[in-house]
Amino acid sequence: MADSPRTDPDVDLRQPGDRVELRARPATTLVVIAGGGVLGTLARFGAQTALPHRPTGFPWATFGVNVLGCLLIGVLMVLLTRVWVGRPLLRPFLGVGVLGGFTTFSAYVLDVEQAVRAGVPATALAYLTGTVLAALGAVWAGETVTGWLLDRAGVGRVAG
Amino acid sequence: MTVLLVALGAAVGAPLRYLTDRAVQARFGSAFPWGTLTVNVTGSLLLGVVFGAAADPAVSALVGTGFCGAFTTWSTFGYETVRLVRSGARRAALANVALSVAAGLGAAWLGFAVAHLLAN
């Protein structure tokens, strides 16, 4: 078991496994993260291309990928600690790479500024706060529902 | 072509986020998510520069969509914030959101303004 609950899903130096992973297999870890990052980013790019928004419109594609990515990271981190234990490359691939590449903070911030610049501050504010509330709620829901389902199924209950 | 540039940017951005987060934690500890804050603010600054300079579509795809998109992250930021709330550190969670959004907006604005000024 880990020393303390994980805070950072990318890398948390309080986790013994995270501390040694880069030294143990540097090339594999970085290549796996890069590969996951490419897959996640291309999925986001696909969504942003399929659902483009005008500067005055609500950026639904970026809103959607950020909220969905937050839901999935909540699910993933519970599965990694309770079901997929002892698979050291899954977190770098799915968590750091795929979900990290799928979601984006920079585009979120720039969308807000573009909406302000385009003269629609109400849209900017709705997008800014709406993303925060929906995304944090999604992490919460992903963790809670996955934990509840695993409890019900009697899977991977953490001992102690 | 655009897809390849996006992929190339992401292939560099994602591992660089991991390495940066790791380096910041090694220096400043990992109780507060300084590492994620660092990548998100830096990536926002860079994306502001790309837009402010009105870079051509190839550069936007490579650096903007690919690199900045994969270098920054909402999923990690969201997960860390919820973990702070769940562990009882509500004030730190609120500070993380306020600081990330404010510093990200400031950085993107600064990057945009400086690049816009230099490009014109």
Side-chain angles (χ1 to χ4, degrees):
Chain A
M1 267 195 59
D3 291 342
S4 59
R6 164 182 292 280
T7 311
D8 187 335
D10 285 354
V11 56
D12 189 336
L13 292 184
R14 289 174 299 182
Q15 306 294 315
D18 287 23
R19 276 204 296 276
V20 297
E21 72 185 354
L22 192 60
R23 203 176 322 142
R25 44 177 96 79
T28 312
T29 304
L30 294 178
V31 167
V32 157
I33 291 172
V38 169
L39 292 178
T41 301
L42 289 180
R44 167 169 48 82
F45 179 56
Q48 289 169 330
T49 308
L51 252 172
H53 75 281
R54 280 182 296 185
T56 52
F58 193 90
W60 285 111
T62 307
F63 174 84
V65 296
N66 282 338
V67 173
L68 179 61
C70 279
L71 177 78
L72 293 176
I73 196 110
V75 173
L76 175 69
M77 297 315 287
V78 174
L79 289 176
L80 285 178
T81 45
R82 292 182 57 174
V83 183
W84 298 332
V85 182
R87 299 188 190 184
L89 291 176
L90 263 187
R91 190 197 93 264
F93 178 66
L94 293 175
V96 189
V98 174
L99 293 180
F102 186 57
T103 62
T104 168
F105 194 84
S106 51
Y108 160 71
V109 158
L110 208 82
D111 286 341
V112 173
E113 297 212 325
Q114 280 199 312
V116 171
R117 240 181 273 276
V120 285
T123 303
L125 192 64
Y127 175 66
L128 188 154
T129 53
T131 301
V132 169
L133 294 176
L136 296 183
V139 173
W140 191 287
E143 275 189 334
T144 305
V145 173
T146 308
W148 180 77
L149 287 173
L150 291 177
D151 282 346
R152 264 179 65 107
V155 177
R157 204 182 293 270
V158 179
Chain B
M1 185 63 189
T2 306
V3 171
L4 282 180
L5 290 170
V6 170
L8 189 63
V12 178
L16 201 59
R17 179 180 75 255
Y18 173 84
L19 292 172
T20 306
D21 195 349
R22 213 183 158 92
V24 171
Q25 280 184 40
R27 206 180 153 88
F28 297 101
S30 49
F32 189 82
W34 292 114
T36 307
L37 182 76
T38 303
V39 293
N40 279 345
V41 172
T42 313
S44 299
L45 177 79
L46 185 58
L47 190 62
V49 170
V50 170
F51 268 77
D56 68 68
V59 175
S60 291
L62 178 75
V63 183
T65 311
F67 180 84
C68 291
F71 185 63
T72 64
T73 168
W74 233 105
S75 51
T76 298
F77 165 65
Y79 185 82
E80 288 171 323
T81 306
V82 168
R83 285 257 63 91
L84 286 172
V85 174
R86 284 201 195 258
S87 67
R90 289 176 181 219
R91 207 169 287 189
L94 196 65
N96 188 39
V97 173
L99 197 60
S100 297
V101 171
L105 284 170
W109 177 84
L110 185 71
F112 186 95
V114 169
H116 192 69
L117 212 69
L118 293 177
N120 289 288

